[in-house]
Amino acid sequence: MGMDDRTTTFGRKRSCTITRCGAFALVLTFVGSIVITGLLVCHFAPCVDGKISQHRDILDWEESSMFRAGRSFRRSRANKINVRLPRSIVPKSYDVNLVPFIWEGNFTFNGEVKIVVSVVQDTTNVTLHAFDMDINSKYTSVSEYPAASKSNKVIKINQQFNDTIRQFYIIKLAKTLKAGKQYLIYLKYIGRLNDYLQGFYRSSYIVNNETRWIATTQFQPTDARRAFPCFDEPAFKATFQINIARPTNMTSVSNMPRERESQPVEGMPTYVWDHFQRSVPMSTYLVAFMVADFEARHSESRNVSVWARKDALEQSDYSLQIGPKILDYYENYFQIKFPLPKIDMVALPDFSAGAMENWGLITYRETALLYQDGVSANGNKQRVAAVVAHELAHQWFGNLVTPSWWTDLWLNEGFASYVENIGIDAVEPSWKALEQFVVHDMQNVFAPDALESSHPITIEVDNPDEINEIFDRISYAKGASIIRMMDHFLTTEVFKRGLTNYLNAKAYKSADQDNLWHTLTKQAHKDEVLDKDITVKQIMDTWTLQTGFPVITVKRNYQDNTAVITQERFMLRNHSKKGKSPLWWVPITYTTATKLNFNKTKPSTWMKVEKSINLDNVSDDPNEWVIFNLLETGYYRVNYDQKNWQAIIKHLKSEGYKDIPTINRAQLLDDALNLARAGLLDYGTAMDVTSYLEQETEYLPWKAALSAIIYLDNMLVNVQGYDMFRKHCLKLLDNVYRNVSFKDDTNDPQLTVFTRADILTLACDLGQQDCVSNAVKQFQEWRASNNTSVSNPISPNLKSIIYCTAIRMGGESDWNFMWQQYLKSNVGSEKDLLLQALGCTRETWLLSRYLNWASSSNSFIRKQDMTRVFASVANNIIGQPIAFNFFRNKWNQLKEYLGTSFSSINGIIKASTNRINSKYELKDLVEFVNEHKEEFGSASRAAEQAIEHVEANIQWLERNHKKIYNWLKKKS
Ligand SMILES: *[C@@H]1O[C@H](CO)[C@@H](O)[C@H](O)[C@H]1NC(C)=O
Ligand SMILES: *[C@@H]1O[C@H](CO)[C@@H](O)[C@H](O)[C@H]1NC(C)=O
Ligand SMILES: *[C@@H]1O[C@H](CO)[C@@H](O)[C@H](O)[C@H]1NC(C)=O
């Protein structure tokens, strides 16, 4: 599933808000990767959405879900109940009949399911999943299949009941079901079209003051059981034949095409039956159906359609254009034809994730599928491409071959998160998606993975809460990063061949990571890219089963041209616990100032779970630098001895700095600043690396630097020396600001557009005069022209900067104008931007009222957008204390309003405490958390983390403030 972009959001919005360099930063704390992402994104991307793009997804606030995952990982498994289904019965086929009452409006549905099962082991019960539905036991039956001709061989039922904790429905039989035989199970029930975006749920939208209803599904990971009783584990693949009764004035879609003309429904003249073709064998979580009054547009080149609200359908040009192309490309990449007769892609107004890869019926939130040229930013367009490419990649990797259990979720999501970039590259080569990956995903996930609370990418999970927790940044972005590393150390041709073999061998079945490692090893040995005694499993187990990632330290011997390389886990804090670090198989690549072989990403040697190795002939010239981890294809950081760092800094500051490719420039910045933050490199050296930014105009290095700069800004904003810091930032920005200028040009390459968005955001946040006055001027021109119904003249890529800066500088009437625009807008991404900008005001009462609106129903702010609003307020330097107080004072109101989406509280806690670095506020936080300990539930980990995070901020400040102050003083 694609993650939603709330995260991103976080980052983004704030940016604007704050005045300073980043103050926004939310979290920055590295902690949040997400955050970071967001941040970065935002910030620099400013609010624009520019970046959003990348970020795809995230299901929940990632960070927080990561914390939760960390917790469950540690939870004792000793006295846990087993929530897995018995293996004695396996389903073969389902026939599902559904009658949803969305039109009449009691929001229930009548359901019937017939399941043909095979018995593998004698058993006297049928145990399957069913949740939140009323099964009418009178109708339940179990009979031999196919039915014997004389008697119908019905098996007598002794007892049936639900086991609510395990979400099971159990039918106990009077007779043994025999191994090798097949049986037919029939169940009749009433389900609920709930409004919490899980299972078979309802959603709505408004046209001309009239509410239009939608009934649709989201099953991954464990909610098919809310729609029909089933064996709801991914390894239980079966075929599905879906029948839906729908109101005649609506349409229905499902995974497969409709089989024949709609049929009348007995006793219901306003309904007809739609019968869909039987599916190929697939997992329950990939089943999908929808009833709505949407309209569709169809591609001319392939059987691909996009469905949306009628008013939004014109925004589907882009996805309709790229979808079929990416599909063609993947057929070639995987060397396997797409196996279904059609693909429908649906834009839903209410959707919890970013998108869901249901086989043949992909569902998206509107912003992940729809794009309006001239209204939305380049970043929105990129997000559409990314999410479409992500979900289409799953049609093979995930749908055709499915992880046997959720433990291997990372493989599914990591794979799609990596391959989506290859898909984007196929349709938009100028965007350099594979380069963007390094700053948007890999460097981003380094942050949470450097914390003690991180977890291994392969993680044991059983119950639905635990499963939901692992849809986090670690699974997606770290998964993608280590798959990318594998693509490089195996070489792409070998990687692709192995992949095709794996997909063919396991098609329509399930598999686990060892199956993939095995196939790749075979191919690698055949093509001689790995020694016979080395397996992919040996290598990859060190990356998937252990927490974190290494930093390698290169110490050169300048007399004999050798170097000693050591590895240890990179930790943002508590590095001191030396000696106990795990070890990895680290692919080693490097080049020198004279060789400049940056494209040689096939490793020249390995660190084979060794603490240290010696390298000979590193460089003949003691005065030239060496750089390791070429194109940052390895998932690790690199530190050097002082002399080598100085040689690198000298080169970066010279005219020849472009000798080092942008990815490695971004790497040097990101590594240096994070090594400093972790106490492994002195801040002076790291700040010296950033000095070369005065001449840098490329996107990747800036993006890498910005997240660290934002953190510094957050920490320094209220302490001595901030004026010097601000001046220093403005000086670094001077050249690139003039280079990009405050004018969007539609002919600019994507990365220039993103750079502009990021740089202007930072400049405006820092209060740079030219930036602020341009922003206010353009906003006022728009306001003035608005009565004359001229369309918005502000360039989409600059909207976030201009909206936020203008709201920050403006007053109530500007705010009201913006709110009106929000109510009027028909474009999802525009609505998001406006919501973010509304949090930029400096009027405290507007901020408080805004938070109130966001946390009550009927305020025109959707529940799904609440964390967005909260983050935008919290990222505003003036808004942060308001958000902090609001969540403490209105705790009960929030809890009640959020209900089942209570996990959003994690994002709220994080955002509103992110920047805190004073002891006084820490005390308030601790007090509140202690007082409400019992009520935090799933958010208790986020609360603990917030405290830990604030403590770390305080500690960081104590340790580094002086040093940075002195460095700045020396420079000014
Ligand atoms: C919901 O409404 C339909 C149509 O009016 C009716 O047939 C059905 O019994 C109702 N279901 C429940 C559970 O009340
Ligand atoms: C149902 O049968 C399976 C296999 O025979 C057994 O493991 C399980 O405990 C039984 N469940 C109940 C509730 O009897
Ligand atoms: C289990 O029983 C409760 C009532 O005791 C009922 O409300 C619920 O819907 C049932 N669950 C299933 C799956 O039938």
Side-chain angles (χ1 to χ4, degrees):
M1 139 166 61
M3 303 180 137
D4 75 29
D5 57 343
R6 261 175 268 163
T7 303
T8 302
T9 306
F10 268 20
R12 263 177 312 151
K13 25 200 76 296
R14 96 294 358 3
S15 316
C16 303
T17 309
I18 309 219
T19 305
R20 35 344 242 9
C21 217
F24 349 55
L26 295 190
V27 175
L28 279 202
T29 311
F30 296 72
V31 162
S33 27
I34 286 213
V35 169
I36 298 222
T37 301
L39 266 203
L40 296 175
V41 170
C42 195
H43 209 324
F44 292 140
C47 299
V48 167
D49 338 243
K51 336 323 258 13
I52 293 202
S53 356
Q54 40 251 33
H55 318 359
R56 32 166 93 334
D57 344 86
I58 300 195
L59 230 189
D60 196 324
W61 201 18
E62 306 202 353
E63 242 185 283
S64 46
S65 64
M66 181 192 72
F67 296 147
R68 283 180 281 132
R71 182 181 49 155
S72 44
F73 185 66
R74 282 189 293 275
R75 214 177 275 156
S76 131
R77 315 208 140 248
N79 45 14
K80 263 174 85 155
I81 51 164
N82 180 6
V83 298
R84 300 290 298 271
L85 290 173
R87 279 12 227 173
S88 43
I89 292 183
V90 299
K92 291 283 147 197
S93 69
Y94 291 80
D95 287 68
V96 184
N97 291 348
L98 299 160
V99 186
F101 299 110
I102 40 175
W103 197 249
E104 288 78 4
N106 61 14
F107 301 127
T108 63
F109 58 96
N110 290 348
E112 285 176 286
V113 63
K114 281 187 223 163
I115 314 172
V116 175
V117 301
S118 277
V119 176
V120 211
Q121 256 175 8
D122 286 5
T123 181
T124 53
N125 70 69
V126 174
T127 300
L128 39 57
H129 285 110
F131 192 60
D132 199 20
M133 57 173 59
D134 298 314
I135 293 175
N136 192 331
S137 59
K138 246 186 1 217
Y139 294 97
T140 306
S141 77
V142 177
S143 54
E144 286 184 12
Y145 183 87
S149 43
K150 300 183 226 143
S151 63
N152 61 347
K153 288 282 179 77
V154 172
I155 319 278
K156 185 166 178 277
I157 295 170
N158 277 349
Q159 197 191 359
Q160 45 185 316
F161 54 95
N162 58 28
D163 175 340
T164 314
I165 294 180
R166 294 190 287 182
Q167 304 183 351
F168 285 172
Y169 192 72
I170 298 168
I171 307 168
K172 291 209 162 192
L173 302 160
K175 213 183 101 185
T176 305
L177 303 182
K178 289 289 187 191
K181 290 200 154 188
Q182 297 204 331
Y183 297 87
L184 179 70
I185 302 162
Y186 174 84
L187 292 152
K188 192 169 154 80
Y189 59 97
I190 295 171
R192 282 172 261 287
L193 289 171
N194 67 70
D195 63 352
Y196 31 89
L197 319 184
Q198 292 170 338
F200 194 15
Y201 71 91
R202 68 177 189 266
S203 166
S204 64
Y205 67 97
I206 292 175
V207 191
N208 303 329
N209 291 325
E210 181 199 322
T211 302
R212 303 279 177 89
W213 292 99
I214 299 163
T216 185
T217 57
Q218 169 61 38
F219 291 167
Q220 192 186 29
T222 59
D223 290 312
R225 63 191 67 166
R226 291 173 188 270
F228 53 92
C230 58
F231 296 81
D232 200 10
E233 293 187 4
F236 284 126
K237 291 196 176 185
T239 64
F240 294 84
Q241 200 267 304
I242 308 284
N243 307 293
I244 298 183
R246 59 156 169 99
T248 46
N249 58 350
M250 298 174 102
T251 46
S252 73
V253 279
S254 184
N255 305 83
M256 299 295 288
R258 220 164 63 193
E259 191 161 45
R260 50 195 150 105
E261 281 306 293
S262 306
Q263 308 289 312
V265 179
E266 214 182 306
M268 294 181 70
T270 57
Y271 273 64
V272 288
W273 280 111
D274 283 341
H275 303 282
F276 296 92
Q277 291 174 19
R278 183 167 295 285
S279 75
V280 295
M282 60 192 252
S283 304
T284 45
Y285 80 87
L286 293 168
V287 174
F289 32 86
M290 179 189 73
V291 178
D293 67 342
F294 284 4
E295 295 191 5
R297 292 174 63 203
H298 311 282
S299 157
E300 279 161 21
S301 60
R302 297 192 61 130
N303 200 351
V304 173
S305 313
V306 173
W307 295 79
R309 299 181 279 120
K310 183 162 178 263
D311 290 345
L313 197 59
E314 60 170 10
Q315 301 165 33
S316 64
D317 277 351
Y318 185 61
S319 49
L320 204 54
Q321 175 206 326
I322 59 167
K325 283 194 199 157
I326 295 174
L327 206 56
D328 289 346
Y329 182 83
Y330 284 157
E331 287 186 335
N332 188 38
Y333 182 86
F334 294 117
Q335 289 288 301
I336 298 175
K337 286 268 167 228
F338 176 67
L340 303 188
K342 61 91 182 171
I343 287 194
D344 287 304
M345 305 201 285
V346 184
L348 292 165
D350 264 318
F351 197 66
S352 60
M356 176 62 213
E357 69 266 20
N358 314 301
W359 217 353
L361 174 55
I362 308 175
T363 45
Y364 297 81
R365 57 167 65 191
E366 288 192 354
T367 48
L369 186 64
L370 304 179
Y371 166 75
Q372 178 84 317
D373 230 350
V375 177
S376 303
N378 287 36
N380 298 110
K381 188 173 184 178
Q382 186 170 308
R383 171 160 160 86
V384 169
V387 180
V388 169
H390 181 99
E391 306 309 332
L392 290 177
H394 274 313
Q395 305 298 304
W396 285 263
F397 209 99
N399 297 8
L400 184 61
V401 179
T402 308
S404 306
W405 181 242
W406 299 109
T407 297
D408 281 347
L409 175 82
W410 80 269
L411 192 55
N412 220 6
E413 294 304 345
F415 191 87
S417 299
Y418 175 54
V419 170
E420 73 182 46
N421 296 289
I422 296 172
I424 301 172
D425 218 30
V427 289
E428 303 284 2
S430 70
W431 291 359
K432 302 184 182 168
L434 284 155
E435 293 189 18
Q436 291 188 43
F437 175 86
V438 175
V439 287
H440 291 159
D441 296 72
M442 184 160 105
Q443 292 184 354
N444 180 277
V445 75
F446 275 159
D449 207 20
L451 298 180
E452 260 175 301
S453 59
S454 188
H455 64 83
I457 200 165
T458 300
I459 180 165
E460 197 188 321
V461 290
D462 305 288
N463 69 47
D465 283 347
E466 290 172 347
I467 295 166
N468 274 301
E469 283 171 356
I470 57 171
F471 285 81
D472 68 0
R473 195 90 201 135
I474 298 285
S475 296
Y476 284 71
K478 181 176 181 178
S481 300
I482 65 173
I483 289 165
R484 170 173 175 264
M485 175 165 74
M486 199 164 64
D487 188 350
H488 285 271
F489 75 65
L490 291 174
T491 70
T492 296
E493 279 314 305
V494 176
F495 174 71
K496 274 169 60 178
R497 269 182 228 134
L499 207 56
T500 300
N501 294 343
Y502 166 79
L503 291 172
N504 278 321
K506 295 287 177 184
Y508 304 108
K509 295 189 212 130
S510 61
D512 57 31
Q513 64 184 32
D514 284 351
N515 298 124
L516 177 60
W517 303 156
H518 179 74
T519 325
L520 289 170
T521 300
K522 255 170 80 180
Q523 195 65 43
H525 288 164
K526 191 164 159 213
D527 293 337
E528 300 181 348
V529 293
L530 278 188
D531 289 348
K532 289 279 184 238
D533 58 340
I534 301 177
T535 66
V536 173
K537 177 174 165 59
Q538 266 175 316
I539 297 167
M540 294 307 285
D541 276 355
T542 65
W543 298 94
T544 62
L545 305 181
Q546 308 189 102
T547 304
F549 61 94
V551 48
I552 68 162
T553 304
V554 179
K555 288 233 160 69
R556 294 172 64 183
N557 179 327
Y558 292 90
Q559 271 75 54
D560 64 5
N561 306 334
T562 63
V564 178
I565 308 178
T566 54
Q567 61 160 310
E568 67 176 318
R569 181 173 174 203
F570 178 80
M571 303 272 276
L572 205 48
R573 287 186 292 131
N574 300 335
H575 235 282
S576 46
K577 290 191 209 150
K578 285 263 154 75
K580 290 202 107 185
S581 172
L583 297 170
W584 285 264
W585 275 76
V586 186
I588 300 293
T589 55
Y590 65 95
T591 193
T592 65
T594 41
K595 292 210 185 86
L596 299 174
N597 275 330
F598 281 94
N599 290 322
K600 275 187 64 183
T601 57
K602 185 163 175 275
S604 52
T605 185
W606 287 84
M607 293 187 88
K608 306 177 177 180
V609 289
E610 293 159 290
K611 178 84 199 139
S612 83
I613 60 169
N614 297 306
L615 283 187
D616 294 334
N617 303 320
V618 173
S619 158
D620 315 333
D621 180 354
N623 293 315
E624 73 167 358
W625 50 255
V626 297
I627 289 178
F628 278 64
N629 199 5
L630 303 180
L631 303 184
E632 210 171 358
T633 53
Y635 184 70
Y636 59 89
R637 293 196 184 281
V638 188
N639 198 358
Y640 303 98
D641 56 63
Q642 227 358 275
K643 183 165 174 188
N644 198 61
W645 272 120
Q646 290 310 326
I648 291 170
I649 291 166
K650 189 162 159 229
H651 196 121
L652 285 173
K653 287 186 171 173
S654 75
E655 272 177 24
Y657 73 103
K658 289 184 178 164
D659 291 343
I660 302 171
T662 51
I663 293 183
N664 280 100
R665 302 205 298 271
Q667 171 207 27
L668 291 165
L669 288 158
D670 182 57
D671 280 353
L673 287 160
N674 284 289
L675 288 164
R677 189 160 159 202
L680 297 176
L681 180 67
D682 69 281
Y683 253 107
T685 307
M687 296 293 279
D688 283 342
V689 175
T690 65
S691 297
Y692 101 96
L693 287 169
E694 279 182 48
Q695 61 173 344
E696 182 64 83
T697 55
E698 292 288 338
Y699 179 68
L700 263 60
W702 269 109
K703 192 70 171 175
L706 286 175
S707 64
I709 292 178
I710 294 169
Y711 181 74
L712 292 175
D713 185 80
N714 273 344
M715 290 301 102
L716 300 176
V717 61
N718 290 319
V719 300
Q720 192 194 13
Y722 184 70
D723 52 339
M724 290 190 300
F725 177 73
R726 180 174 168 275
K727 243 208 242 133
H728 173 70
C729 288
L730 287 173
K731 185 157 152 252
L732 293 182
L733 282 178
D734 189 53
N735 174 45
V736 65
Y737 182 88
R738 274 183 284 119
N739 188 278
V740 293
S741 85
F742 203 106
K743 189 163 169 13
D744 192 39
D745 182 341
T746 45
N747 296 318
D748 277 337
Q750 187 86 324
L751 294 186
T752 305
V753 172
F754 286 0
T755 308
R756 177 178 298 116
D758 282 357
I759 294 301
L760 298 190
T761 301
L762 179 55
C764 276
D765 283 347
L766 286 169
Q768 203 249 44
Q769 201 44 53
D770 184 68
C771 189
V772 172
S773 59
N774 266 302
V776 172
K777 183 160 148 270
Q778 290 201 26
F779 175 79
Q780 292 305 344
E781 280 167 9
W782 175 36
R783 249 196 96 171
S785 73
N786 195 258
N787 307 330
T788 61
S789 80
V790 183
S791 67
N792 186 343
I794 299 173
S795 158
N797 290 312
L798 302 183
K799 277 179 180 172
S800 71
I801 301 154
I802 291 172
Y803 290 180
C804 182
T805 306
I807 288 295
R808 172 156 44 87
M809 306 307 289
E812 184 192 354
S813 75
D814 293 314
W815 201 95
N816 290 340
F817 169 75
M818 195 72 87
W819 176 250
Q820 288 307 319
Q821 302 306 311
Y822 169 74
L823 296 180
K824 271 203 298 214
S825 173
N826 178 39
V827 178
S829 61
E830 180 74 6
K831 277 178 136 29
D832 285 358
L833 275 187
L834 292 162
L835 273 187
Q836 289 168 31
L838 288 166
C840 296
T841 180
R842 286 182 169 163
E843 296 286 347
T844 53
W845 70 273
L846 285 173
L847 291 169
S848 302
R849 187 182 67 180
Y850 193 35
L851 290 177
N852 256 316
W853 286 358
S855 50
S856 44
S857 352
N858 306 322
S859 68
F860 301 103
I861 298 174
R862 284 177 182 271
K863 205 181 272 188
Q864 67 174 16
D865 291 327
M866 177 177 168
T867 43
R868 189 182 291 277
V869 169
F870 225 91
S872 89
V873 173
N875 284 297
N876 177 339
I877 182 87
I878 291 174
Q880 166 151 2
I882 298 173
F884 184 53
N885 289 333
F886 189 92
F887 109 78
R888 289 182 302 156
N889 295 333
K890 302 284 175 71
W891 176 249
N892 289 332
Q893 179 187 331
L894 283 176
K895 253 179 32 183
E896 187 172 323
Y897 180 64
L898 287 173
T900 51
S901 18
F902 184 68
S903 60
S904 330
I905 203 84
N906 291 326
I908 291 171
I909 296 172
K910 203 84 212 155
S912 53
T913 56
N914 173 48
R915 220 174 345 185
I916 297 180
N917 60 5
S918 81
K919 288 187 171 144
Y920 174 67
E921 286 160 300
L922 173 63
K923 207 172 126 242
D924 287 350
L925 176 63
V926 172
E927 229 162 66
F928 178 77
V929 171
N930 284 339
E931 232 167 79
H932 296 269
K933 231 183 207 132
E934 305 305 312
E935 304 155 37
F936 271 89
S938 65
S940 48
R941 184 70 188 171
E944 279 166 41
Q945 284 290 339
I947 293 174
E948 205 178 315
H949 177 70
V950 170
E951 286 168 351
N953 285 348
I954 294 171
Q955 203 185 57
W956 181 90
L957 199 65
E958 279 167 2
R959 251 201 242 137
N960 298 299
H961 181 205
K962 204 38 160 298
K963 286 183 211 157
I964 293 172
Y965 180 84
N966 289 338
W967 187 90
L968 289 166
K969 192 128 189 239
K970 214 167 67 202
K971 290 279 150 179
S972 58

